[in-house]
Amino acid sequence: MPVPVTSKKKQRRCVSCGMSAEKRALYRIVRTKDGQVSFDATGRAAGRGAYVCSEACFEAARAARKLDRALKASLSADDYDRVAQAFAALRAEEE
């Protein structure tokens, strides 16, 4: 008798608090090949990604510079501000 195939959703981990969740439940920040850092609303942009579970975790990761390690890059204040603005815009859309 054949065994049914069950697919497991890949889990991602928040760089700040370490919570594991499905990719769709987390927010992705991406560093592209040319070094640009931005918020990835689609979750499919090409480049190295890091995940956070909330805006509070983003702010904690910002304070501890955890995104620098996760993205293997030195992020500037402008990079962090750009991602924070994208979070604010996303929150405004949800309301």
Side-chain angles (χ1 to χ4, degrees), residues 11-21 25-26 52-54:
Q11 298 286 303
R12 303 293 191 262
R13 187 176 299 265
C14 175
V15 297
S16 182
C17 69
M19 179 190 81
S20 290
L26 300 172
V52 291
C53 62
S54 66

Side-chain angles (χ1 to χ4, degrees), residues 30-70:
V30 66
R31 177 186 51 87
T32 60
K33 283 185 179 182
D34 62 354
Q36 280 290 93
V37 175
S38 62
F39 179 76
D40 180 14
T42 64
R44 295 181 177 199
R48 183 166 186 86
Y51 295 86
V52 291
C53 62
S54 66
E55 193 170 359
C57 275
F58 168 73
E59 291 301 330
R62 179 181 192 169
R65 313 271 313 164
K66 289 183 177 183
L67 287 172
D68 291 31
R69 274 191 304 272

Side-chain angles (χ1 to χ4, degrees), residues 27-29 39 52-56 58-59 82-92:
Y27 302 102
R28 185 172 189 247
I29 296 130
F39 179 76
V52 291
C53 62
S54 66
E55 193 170 359
F58 168 73
E59 291 301 330
R82 189 172 39 258
V83 174
Q85 288 173 355
F87 263 114
L90 181 66
R91 189 178 52 222

